[in-house]
Amino acid sequence: MLYQRSSQLFIEAEKVIPGGVNSPVRAFKSVGGTPIYVKEAKGAYLFDEDGNKYIDYINSWGPMLLGHSYPPVVNAVIEKAKKGTSFGMPTEIETEIAALAVSMVPNIDKIRFVNSGTEACMSAIRLARGFTGKEKIIKFRGCYHGHSDSFLISAGSGLSTFGVPNSPGVTKGTAHDTLLADYNNIESVKNLFLENPDEIACVIIEPVAGNMGCVPPIEGFLESLRKVCNENKALLIFDEVMTGFRLAKGGAQELFGIAADIVCFGKVIGGGLPVGAFAARAEIMDYLAPVGPVYQAGTLSGNPLAMAAGLAMLTAINEDEKLFERLEEKGAYLEKGLTEVLLKNNRKFVINRIGSMISVFFCENNVVDFNSAAKADTPEFKSFFHGLLQRGIYIAPSSYETWFLTDALTYEDINFTIEAVALATQS
Ligand SMILES: *Cc1c(COP(=O)(O)O)cnc(C)c1O
């Protein structure tokens, strides 16, 4: 494949955009080379500016659960745009999507829309602090909750990829209020509660971690976490920006049967437009302004185009009784195929998968937390990534990321992918 035009576009971009990109992981820093520039995308495929075609396993990092240019979403946005693009005043569609989301997701009565997953998570911890009157939060090493200051402490993917454990610009004071636990290790959480009695407002977690590669919770971990939070009167926040509307209609809460106190959304909920949201039972949500004292706002929050895309997306998900079954079957089929060819090629690897989220780690140990994920061999991943890219398969340019499957993916696409992995991993 040739990447002439992409390379040229990247050179132009670097002159006027820091690193040429508007979000660091797009820059191919950890795998080498220069990013490909997308011209358009349809269904399971990406087409770049040089005319190359790829089967897409990033899918905008999660939102495109039903494939690119999904007609109901595209049409909804076009029709809405004709009536004006933003008012800063209430519109009926905000209530429609809120009611639908509340009906799909367990344990929430009210939801507030924002513009990104970052905003959702940062607002959720402010609400948790306001509601409990406590200041500290617990997060897990390797979990990512957006780029707001409180979370840029051992934050997975982008940061791990670049080896920046903490970002300059985050104050010591802020870092002091974020306590770190190890994923899948309930003792590490209990110890933090013991060391900081009556100080912890909330525990925030990706119920299936997706930002250190895909790392599912081990049996009983989320249950124990729920119990420890109850015992310490701390709120449990599920950051379902990645898992929400992807693992089940009701996300990880439904899949695992665990009730969170606050749930954060992003990605799928916006159907590819900039949307985030956070939700909880009424007692907690009514702590927000204008009814309650916790302030949170946004000029473009609930934007009509974004709500139209989100509503079309959630409606499609809600009405399709077999969607999650199909995604599970495709995921299982891909996992089985990858396992066979990697074994045949004598590779040492671990595959973690849950539904339509899957990761291949080149290591021998089980991957259950950030430390074990970090042992995956990075040079091997580099050649794997480029081997797949050359063969028309686009996965995330970092070993700390999850592959996202879409319903648009056919079994022919999956077979093609498995074959490409077989060729890319031959010794
Ligand atoms: C992507 C992501 C975020 C941040 O969302 P943005 O829309 O990129 O701000 C937060 N939490 C999790 C779990 C995510 O995967």
Side-chain angles (χ1 to χ4, degrees), residues 1-3 7 26-36 54 362 378-399 403 420-421 423-425:
M1 286 197 193
L2 290 173
Y3 306 110
S7 306
R26 296 176 195 169
F28 277 35
K29 277 265 194 236
S30 70
V31 291
T34 53
I36 58 170
Y54 309 85
F362 291 104
T378 313
E380 189 166 356
F381 179 81
K382 248 187 195 178
S383 72
F384 182 65
F385 171 82
H386 284 291
L388 291 185
L389 192 68
Q390 279 297 327
R391 291 174 175 86
I393 309 292
Y394 195 64
I395 64 168
S398 158
S399 60
W403 308 21
V421 169
L423 294 171
T425 56

Side-chain angles (χ1 to χ4, degrees), residues 221-264:
F221 176 62
L222 295 175
E223 285 83 352
S224 305
L225 199 57
R226 177 67 274 181
K227 193 159 159 271
V228 172
C229 285
N230 288 350
E231 286 164 3
N232 291 280
K233 296 192 170 52
L235 299 186
L236 177 59
I237 303 178
F238 270 12
D239 176 355
E240 297 224 40
V241 171
M242 202 178 266
T243 55
F245 307 101
R246 169 169 288 279
L247 295 184
K249 275 184 199 178
Q253 284 196 98
E254 176 187 323
L255 190 67
F256 298 113
I258 309 274
D261 296 303
I262 304 179
V263 190
C264 304

Side-chain angles (χ1 to χ4, degrees), residues 55-57 334 337-338 341 384 388 391-395 403 409-424:
I55 300 174
D56 185 12
Y57 285 96
L334 176 65
L338 294 180
V341 298
F384 182 65
L388 291 185
R391 291 174 175 86
I393 309 292
Y394 195 64
I395 64 168
W403 308 21
L409 206 60
T410 65
Y411 282 90
E412 212 179 354
D413 296 329
I414 302 176
N415 285 334
F416 185 89
T417 305
I418 295 165
E419 182 59 21
V421 169
L423 294 171

Side-chain angles (χ1 to χ4, degrees), residues 80 119 155 189 238 250 311 361 395 413 427:
K80 258 299 179 236
E119 262 187 85
V189 179
F238 270 12
L311 181 60
F361 299 92
I395 64 168
D413 296 329
S427 27

